[in-house]
Amino acid sequence: MKETNHLMRKRYHWLVLALLTLSACSEDQKQADKLIQASSESLAAAVAMKMQQLEFTEARIAEITEVPFRAEKFKPIEIRIKRIVAFTNAANQQVKALRELLDKENHANPGKSTATREWAKQAGHLYIQLTLFRDSVLSVDWPLQTEFRRDFSLFGAGLDSIFNSAEDLSDLLQSVTYPAVSSFLSSVQFNILTAGWKCATYCLESIAYHDSCDSGPNLIISQNPLVVLPGASITVGFGVGIFPYANRYRMEVAVNNSPSTPLQNGIENILVKAEQKVGHYKVPLVIKYFDQDGKRQEIRKLIEYTVVDTLCGMGR
């Protein structure tokens, strides 16, 4: 799937470059405009798709952090994704603003078929704006630098190596037909949204790594002693094996249908008073906690102990 998307992007980039050249040199401008219009429609659909994917990524991390015990753990990832989305939307708005100026200029000059020098000069600033966009996104989290520094296309695989300044972009866009420039802007929007979506998705997928460090509650129950004198106290310890995350599960325990006692520090000790008569006894425990999906779970366990009249009874 990644290879298919990569090939699609490369085709878009080279197609836009060819169309820009074609629009300036073709003798049959009407035929060129038809080809450009078809390209613009495909690009518009691709832009809309990428926008939806970016919105879904943001919605997904928001959904994950709604789960009680995950909120604290994944809040930093949510903040990173929201920053990436904000940078991406801002860059996309800058391109849309340029398109609005282009359309306004086109309607004001119905007899002119190419973009003016003034508009092209203003459009040249997009080089600086998108360079800042790239650097801002990659600075959100240091692994993004390693992962996407060489795969963060702004204008297209064939054009990124050509542009080294705002003047380079401005020079290319001068005297290019309105349909060709509009198609070029759609291609830039597609690149912006694709780059932002890839970086946001990378952050979202890092949750799988973090989750491997916390596979869920590993319940621990211990007791001491197993053999006691009548009326003696038995210490029962309970908790979870993953202590750094213990409080996120909000565990509680109830002994013999008594009120639940909350777990405070990863493990808790409870004193159970032994029966007065000699014999073997079982005490029911009810342990409640929230699982990884935020659902309330309940586990029932039994602790067993033996009451003897003297400690010598242990050897009988």
Side-chain angles (χ1 to χ4, degrees):
M1 187 64 180
K2 283 187 176 180
E3 293 181 0
T4 302
N5 288 337
H6 181 65
L7 289 173
M8 288 177 63
R9 292 200 301 272
K10 289 186 68 175
R11 288 172 183 168
Y12 279 136
H13 300 155
W14 285 108
L15 178 59
V16 172
L17 181 59
L19 291 175
L20 288 172
T21 305
L22 180 64
S23 69
C25 305
S26 176
E27 295 180 359
D28 193 347
Q29 191 62 56
K30 290 184 179 180
Q31 293 298 321
D33 286 347
K34 288 182 180 180
L35 180 60
I36 292 170
Q37 181 62 34
S39 172
S40 294
E41 292 174 357
S42 297
L43 283 169
V47 167
M49 177 188 70
K50 284 300 174 187
M51 178 64 77
Q52 289 179 349
Q53 289 177 328
L54 185 64
E55 291 173 350
F56 174 80
T57 302
E58 185 179 23
R60 179 61 183 137
I61 186 62
E63 179 184 13
I64 290 173
T65 54
E66 285 180 357
V67 178
F69 89 93
R70 287 183 172 178
E72 178 186 355
K73 182 179 178 184
F74 296 133
K75 196 64 178 179
I77 295 178
E78 182 182 27
I79 292 173
R80 290 175 201 143
I81 291 176
K82 285 184 176 297
R83 289 184 64 195
I84 292 172
V85 172
F87 289 139
T88 303
N89 288 337
N92 189 41
Q93 285 298 323
Q94 290 170 337
V95 179
K96 291 175 69 174
L98 272 178
R99 186 190 298 280
E100 291 174 0
L101 289 176
L102 183 71
D103 292 341
K104 184 177 180 180
E105 179 183 284
N106 187 14
H107 293 147
N109 301 282
K112 188 173 178 58
S113 61
T114 59
T116 63
R117 181 180 297 272
E118 290 73 18
W119 182 89
K121 185 175 181 180
Q122 188 167 356
H125 295 301
L126 194 61
Y127 174 83
I128 299 173
Q129 293 166 338
L130 295 192
T131 300
L132 290 174
F133 157 67
R134 178 193 61 205
D135 294 343
S136 297
V137 169
L138 294 180
S139 67
V140 167
D141 194 20
W142 69 264
L144 296 176
Q145 296 271 354
T146 304
E147 191 72 20
F148 298 110
R149 170 59 71 175
R150 296 182 179 180
D151 186 25
F152 201 105
S153 182
L154 297 176
F155 301 101
L159 296 178
D160 284 339
S161 59
I162 296 176
F163 300 143
N164 294 306
S165 66
E167 290 73 19
D168 291 340
L169 177 57
S170 180
D171 290 343
L172 180 66
L173 295 178
Q174 287 182 22
S175 301
V176 176
T177 65
Y178 286 117
V181 174
S182 180
S183 183
F184 169 74
L185 293 178
S186 293
S187 178
V188 172
Q189 282 184 281
F190 178 79
N191 293 335
I192 290 171
L193 293 169
T194 297
W197 169 73
K198 287 193 302 184
C199 291
T201 301
Y202 179 85
C203 293
L204 181 64
E205 290 176 347
S206 70
I207 287 178
Y209 169 78
H210 286 283
D211 266 350
S212 67
C213 299
D214 180 13
S215 57
N218 181 17
L219 299 179
I220 295 174
I221 299 177
S222 64
Q223 70 179 86
N224 184 43
L226 298 177
V227 180
V228 296
L229 294 173
S233 294
I234 303 169
T235 301
V236 179
F238 71 97
V240 293
I242 309 172
F243 297 117
Y245 305 115
N247 292 338
R248 292 173 181 158
Y249 296 109
R250 289 188 281 170
M251 295 184 65
E252 300 176 356
V253 65
V255 181
N256 275 335
N257 298 317
S258 63
S260 296
T261 299
L263 176 69
Q264 298 293 335
N265 300 304
I267 192 166
E268 195 78 23
N269 291 326
I270 288 183
L271 297 180
V272 176
K273 190 173 182 180
E275 296 290 337
Q276 296 291 337
K277 294 183 179 181
V278 173
H280 185 75
Y281 297 91
K282 297 180 180 181
V283 178
L285 297 180
V286 178
I287 301 173
K288 301 176 182 179
Y289 66 93
F290 284 92
D291 66 15
Q292 290 176 295
D293 295 321
K295 296 179 180 179
R296 191 66 160 163
Q297 301 291 350
E298 182 178 294
I299 294 179
R300 295 181 179 272
K301 295 285 185 179
L302 291 174
I303 64 168
E304 300 182 36
Y305 66 93
T306 300
V307 177
V308 294
D309 53 359
T310 67
L311 293 179
C312 295
M314 294 188 298
R316 295 174 188 172

